[in-house]
Amino acid sequence: MKRSVRRTSRKQNRREFLIKTGGALAAAAIGSPPIITHAAETVNIGALYPTTGSMAQIGVGCVAAAKLAVEMVNDAGGIKSLGGAKLNLIVSDVQSDTTVTRTETDRLISGNKLSAIHGCFASALTLIASEVAERAKVPIITGSSSDQLNKGRTYTFTPFARASQFAKAQLQMSKLVSDKPKVAVIFENTAFGTSTSNGLKELAPDEGVEIVMFEPYSAGFTDASPLVNKVKASGANALFSVSYLNDLILIVRTVKQVGLNVAINGGSGGFVIPDFYKNVGKLAEGLQGVAHWNHDMSDEAQKVNAEYKKRTGEFLFEYAGGLVAQTFMLADALERAGSTDPQKVREALSALDVSKGYAAMAPGGKVKFGPDGKNIYGRPVGVQWQNGDLASVFPKEDARAPLMKT
Amino acid sequence: MLEILAQAVINGLLIGGIYALVSIGVTLIFGVVKIVNFAQGEFVMIGMYISFFLATQFGIDPIVSLAVSMPVLFVIGVLIQHFLIRRVLGLNDLPQIFLTFALSLLIVNLSLMLFTANYRTVHTWYSDEAFRVGGLYIPVAKLVAFVLAMILSGALWIFLHTTDLGKAMRAASQNRDVAQLMGINPNRVFAVALGIALALAGAAGSLLMPFYPAYPLVGQVFVLMAFVAVVLGTLGNVIGALIASLLMGVAESLGIQFIGADSGLIVVFMLLLITLALRPSGLAGGRRR
């Protein structure tokens, strides 16, 4: 009796063990990122993007742009001061998850001799990656907009407009549609949402804009109706929604359904990517947003856009376009550093000062970092959906098309 | 004020209908087969993609494509029962949990590979339409989804109470051993239960398609609510799950309206905790039907 019990329990354990290890192996197989390697003398650049999980769709576009940018640098002769060394992109999937971002960043840095890193698109992820990079003393360059990235960091570089600047531009744009803007601000309760909306709240009085509703929501809801119901009750004539794509699609469609007449400013994030128009269609026409980069800004930007469009069929969206510029900033720094040593690359990056070429593709056309890693010339550009494309409409000096009245 | 309240309740009920389809499936599987199906949300996702492709390739309205998504998922359910779940039934809970959890991971990652992470929407003529009654509005797509969800739930109830197979299913859920002694073939009953549960998930997917975008992780948005509803409405109780789902939809909507837009789930989970404290086995008490 006793023996047979023991035997079944051992069998049971073996089965349990097999299932558990099987699960662990499967998890490892899913999590392992593709690694591109070359044998020749190369400069390793780490790229951290969410290519699976809820943010995958933007992350995948980022990786495509990062590959295109590396090709452009390499085709132009690589890094000349390093004997024409080629850039080697090492992509790592951070799975839209903060914990994974921490371990993947660690793994990427300890497993490879990196000269610099770029990533992660979502501020919540970039904040973590930049912490890890700071500790390992590897420079990280990012288009993420959270102002926190400029606090107490020495290896983090942000060449584009900050969340607080986005806020100011959005407020100014609301005055284009109404003399007395009454704004409802709804934002997802993440690092990106909170920092952007707090910026809006702080700056509103100075810009003469009244905020009649200020409301965080949990991202990934099943139904936008209750939230839109609340906006309706607030009597707002303009709506700022700080959201990623899925929530924003539901919000815009619900606003139209309710028949609510508000000018929507979708901010950046999910609003300024081709998929937004694909999902919302004609309802998107005339909606406004802000971006740190737009594909109609300069000749260089349009050239890169054309190439990206040829490869993917979509226009080059904000984050991916900025990423191409970032790669050229890294190339510029490497050229001047004449070394693959991350410390020397950091020194060179902090002395970056460009006003032409692909590295200067930014609203305003100039990049130079201050001591906090912020581009001292950085500013956002106001955009509007016109005929299925994003046109730069604000401020005057960056406008490439007139504002369409809705 | 009253108008805002009424609108919030309407919004809650409408989305509650969708929660109901998902949670009834989970509770049916648990009641009859005694396993927790962690992959239920993924079958909603499959239903959505079926409707999406039928709509974009053949121009079939998502509501009509219910006639395809439900049978397809019924068959998938029977196959999963026959080839996977049947093999772990005699074992302890752990392999069963791992099985459905692994299934969920597998389906999500396969669809990421096949369909990419992009959002897909179907735009029908009624997607952005709404009935207006006084100051209130009722979105057409959601009303259609709600009504069909209620009809399907009602049909399931009638099936469980009037047909032999339905009665056998309830018998198996009440006491598996005695049911077997009465000559009920558990494998057949389990296969049908799985089939029906997945068909309901498929229906939820098709009904969602006119107003909710499909993407590989969409199931996880709905499955959380479904699990809460299943526990709230007493594990294994179909009517309990239905009522709990509607209740949760309303609680979430009222929470967003009157407490804060990030507090919808807080209200839902408060409701769950209070119910469990007062009636530990859920709203329907110890009864399983």
Side-chain angles (χ1 to χ4, degrees), chain A residues 222, chain B residues 15-30 37-45 48 149-150 152-153 156 196-208 218-230 238 241-242 245 248:
Chain A
T222 50
Chain B
I15 197 71
I18 296 291
Y19 296 159
L21 281 184
V22 188
S23 59
I24 287 174
V26 174
T27 214
L28 188 68
I29 296 179
F30 184 84
N37 183 14
F38 287 101
Q40 192 73 3
E42 275 57 65
F43 297 114
V44 175
M45 181 260 289
M48 290 185 88
M150 290 306 112
L152 288 172
S153 312
L156 176 67
I196 291 177
L198 262 61
L200 288 178
S206 294
L207 293 174
L208 273 170
V218 70
Q220 296 172 8
V221 178
F222 290 92
V223 85
L224 176 69
M225 294 302 261
F227 277 122
V228 180
V230 165
V238 170
L242 172 67
S245 299
M248 269 169 31

Side-chain angles (χ1 to χ4, degrees), chain A residues 16 19 53 56-57 189 215-218 221-223 225-227 229-230 232-233 245-246 250 253 257-258 275 279, chain B residues 7 11 19 92 98 117-119 121 127-128 132 135 137 142 210-213 215 217 221 256-257 260-262:
Chain A
E16 246 172 67
I19 289 169
Q57 155 221 35
N189 52 1
E215 187 89 19
Y217 69 83
S218 17
F221 46 58
T222 50
D223 183 13
S225 316
L227 191 59
N229 202 17
K230 224 173 166 174
K232 189 182 176 189
L245 184 63
N246 187 28
L250 291 176
R253 286 173 81 162
Q257 219 166 43
V258 178
D275 242 47
N279 280 290
Chain B
Q7 185 67 59
N11 292 338
Y19 296 159
N92 58 17
F98 271 108
N118 287 343
Y119 295 106
T121 46
S127 280
D128 301 316
R132 270 156 229 286
Y137 74 97
K142 280 179 194 158
F211 62 91
Y212 204 85
Y215 55 99
L217 288 129
V221 178
I256 290 175
Q257 188 77 47
D262 55 353

Side-chain angles (χ1 to χ4, degrees), chain A residues 18-32:
Chain A
L18 278 176
I19 289 169
K20 277 183 187 163
T21 48
L25 283 177
I30 292 162
S32 73

Side-chain angles (χ1 to χ4, degrees), chain B residues 45-62 65 68-69 111 113-116 118-122 205-206 209 214-216:
Chain B
M45 181 260 289
I46 294 177
M48 290 185 88
Y49 275 102
I50 290 176
S51 288
F52 170 77
F53 283 112
L54 287 176
T56 47
Q57 300 298 317
F58 304 104
I60 296 170
D61 189 283
S65 63
V68 179
S69 63
S111 14
M113 254 167 63
L114 292 175
F115 309 135
T116 73
N118 287 343
Y119 295 106
R120 320 275 187 167
T121 46
V122 170
S206 294
M209 210 54 229
Y215 55 99

